[in-house]
Structure formats: structure tokens, C-alpha cells
């Protein structure tokens, strides 16, 4: 992820459209978290906390990890304003160094397409997951028209992602499209998938 780019975007990131999309994503992720009150969640690319902070009343803890300090500053303001005792932020760039972290559930929401070396990041996250832990990825479904846009958008097909997840060690991989939206990806209509996988 381009930290500087997201630093510049931070203060303008929480648009009404972004908030609405995050609520749709959060609702879908919540359905995957029954009986999770004893679980620690890590959101990789947690940004301003639009998705991760929706989960604080369902899990033991939420840690937002991001490579943009400005995004995390925005998230910390929300945590402080809402007096959330079980949420925190941590600056980290997994492309340079993986900090000592552990989690029962890792969430990536609209982050995957910004990552150039997908396999490497998913391997790093595999090490962070505790045995029996789950990785939940939400991102845009592949559409050939997207490839004509900014080079930093690398969208994988379901089959491509399944193969990368399997090679990284994940099992019980399930990917399903759950939402079709208007102008949600670079002013284009797009659909979102949720990929669920497990570290045995």
C-alpha cells in the first residue's frame, strides 16, 4: 500500500459514500462472527476504522493496523471519542517488516487490490493468525475493464485468490459475491466478494 497516498487522503476519506459502503461490508462480516466475544480481531489496512470499529461490541478486541499514520490518527480520534476500551491502532508496514502480532480473526477490507505482492502479505498474515484462526477478505470482483485504470489496482479473480491462499497455507477457502453497487470503484459499477479461509 502506498502510505503517502493514503496519508494525503486521510482527512477526506470518510465520505458519505465510503461510510455507506463500509456499513454494507461491516454487516456482511458480522454474519461471519457468531460467538466471537472471546476473539481478538486484527484489521490489516484498517485505515480510519470504518469497518473494524463496527465490530467492537462483538469481539474481545479490535486492533487496526495500517501503514498510514494519518489514517490511524483519524481512527484513534474515533476510538477516543467513543470511549472504546477494546480498540487500538498500530502503525506497521508489512511490506518492510512484520511486527509481533497475534489474532484469532484477520480482516482485509478493500485492501487487497492495493497490494502488489499479494502472496507475500498473505503469508505474513498467516503467521499472525493463531491456529484455528480465520482470514476474511472483502474486495472487488475482477472485471477486465478495471485493468485499464491505475496501475496500482491489482484485482484478482476468485480462482487466482483461491490458489494464492492455498499456497500460503490457508484451507477451507470459500469465496462468494455478496453486493453489486453503482459507481463504487473509480466511478464504475462493481461487485464485492467475501473470501473466508482458515489456518488449521
Amino acid at each position: 500500500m502506498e502510505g503517502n497516498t493514503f496519508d494525503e487522503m486521510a482527512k477526506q476519506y470518510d465520505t458519505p459514500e465510503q461510510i455507506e459502503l463500509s456499513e454494507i461490508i461491516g454487516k456482511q462480516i458480522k454474519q461471519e462472527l457468531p460467538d466471537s466475544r472471546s476473539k481478538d480481531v486484527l484489521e490489516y489496512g484498517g485505515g480510519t476504522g470504518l469497518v473494524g470499529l463496527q465490530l467492537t461490541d462483538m469481539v474481545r478486541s479490535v486492533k487496526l493496523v495500517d501503514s498510514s499514520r494519518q489514517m490511524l490518527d483519524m481512527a484513534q480520534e474515533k476510538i477516543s471519542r467513543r470511549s472504546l476500551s477494546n480498540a487500538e491502532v498500530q502503525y506497521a508496514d508489512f511490506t518492510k517488516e512484520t511486527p509481533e502480532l497475534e489474532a484469532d480473526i484477520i480482516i482485509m477490507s478493500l485492501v487487497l487490490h492495493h497490494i502488489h505482492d499479494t502472496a507475500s502479505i498473505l503469508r505474513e498474515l498467516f503467521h499472525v493468525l493463531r491456529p484455528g484462526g480465520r482470514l476474511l477478505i472483502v474486495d472487488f470482483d475482477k472485471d477486465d475493464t478495471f485493468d485499464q485504470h491505475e496501475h496500482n489496482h491489482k484485482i484478482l479473480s476468485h480462482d487466482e485468490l483461491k490458489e494464492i491462499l492455498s499456497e500460503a497455507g490457508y484451507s477451507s477457502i470459500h469465496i462468494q459475491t455478496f453486493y453489486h453497487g453503482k459507481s463504487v470503484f473509480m466511478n464504475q459499477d462493481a461487485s464485492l466478494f467475501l473470501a473466508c479461509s482458515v489456518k488449521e
Side-chain angles (χ1 to χ4, degrees):
M1 294 187 302
E2 300 293 333
N4 291 341
T5 302
F6 285 98
D7 283 345
E8 294 164 11
M9 292 168 53
K11 292 196 181 302
Q12 290 81 37
Y13 190 77
D14 288 9
T15 64
E17 296 79 13
Q18 198 72 35
I19 292 169
E20 181 182 5
L21 189 60
S22 297
E23 288 174 349
I24 290 166
I25 292 169
K27 182 179 179 181
Q28 188 68 26
I29 289 175
K30 285 178 181 180
Q31 294 179 22
E32 299 294 328
L33 302 179
D35 305 319
S36 294
R37 293 199 177 277
S38 64
K39 305 296 186 184
D40 297 314
V41 171
L42 183 152
E43 185 179 10
Y44 180 73
T48 64
L50 283 177
V51 173
L53 295 184
Q54 295 180 54
L55 311 176
T56 54
D57 60 346
M58 299 183 66
V59 300
R60 180 165 58 189
S61 70
V62 174
K63 184 185 290 273
L64 306 174
V65 177
D66 206 286
S67 60
S68 166
R69 295 185 191 278
Q70 276 75 7
M71 286 279 202
L72 292 177
D73 286 346
M74 300 283 289
Q76 184 59 56
E77 286 180 20
K78 294 176 187 177
I79 292 169
S80 300
R81 189 166 64 245
R82 301 176 196 174
S83 300
L84 298 173
S85 60
N86 65 334
E88 62 179 334
V89 304
Q90 180 168 339
Y91 171 81
D93 186 347
F94 277 50
T95 63
K96 295 174 181 173
E97 182 181 11
T98 304
E100 291 294 323
L101 295 168
E102 283 188 342
D104 301 297
I105 300 163
I106 295 178
I107 294 167
M108 294 175 67
S109 174
L110 305 185
V111 173
L112 194 69
H113 66 274
H114 291 292
I115 297 172
H116 294 290
D117 190 348
T118 307
S120 175
I121 293 296
L122 293 181
R123 284 195 302 270
E124 295 295 335
L125 294 176
F126 186 83
H127 294 307
V128 172
L129 269 181
R130 293 173 180 142
R134 303 172 67 212
L135 173 66
L136 307 178
I137 299 173
V138 173
D139 217 294
F140 296 106
D141 282 315
K142 189 176 179 69
D143 184 319
D144 290 339
T145 61
F146 295 162
D147 295 337
Q148 301 169 19
H149 293 281
E150 292 184 39
H151 67 277
N152 67 323
H153 292 124
K154 178 184 177 183
I155 296 181
L156 301 169
S157 70
H158 292 191
D159 286 342
E160 288 170 329
L161 179 55
K162 281 181 180 177
E163 184 175 351
I164 294 171
L165 284 166
S166 180
E167 289 177 353
Y170 299 90
S171 58
S172 303
I173 301 165
H174 177 70
I175 303 178
Q176 182 176 0
T177 297
F178 68 91
Y179 176 74
H180 299 268
K182 298 285 187 182
S183 303
V184 292
F185 181 78
M186 301 185 70
N187 296 317
Q188 295 181 93
D189 297 353
S191 56
L192 293 173
F193 69 78
L194 172 63
C196 304
S197 57
V198 176
K199 176 180 180 177
E200 296 291 355

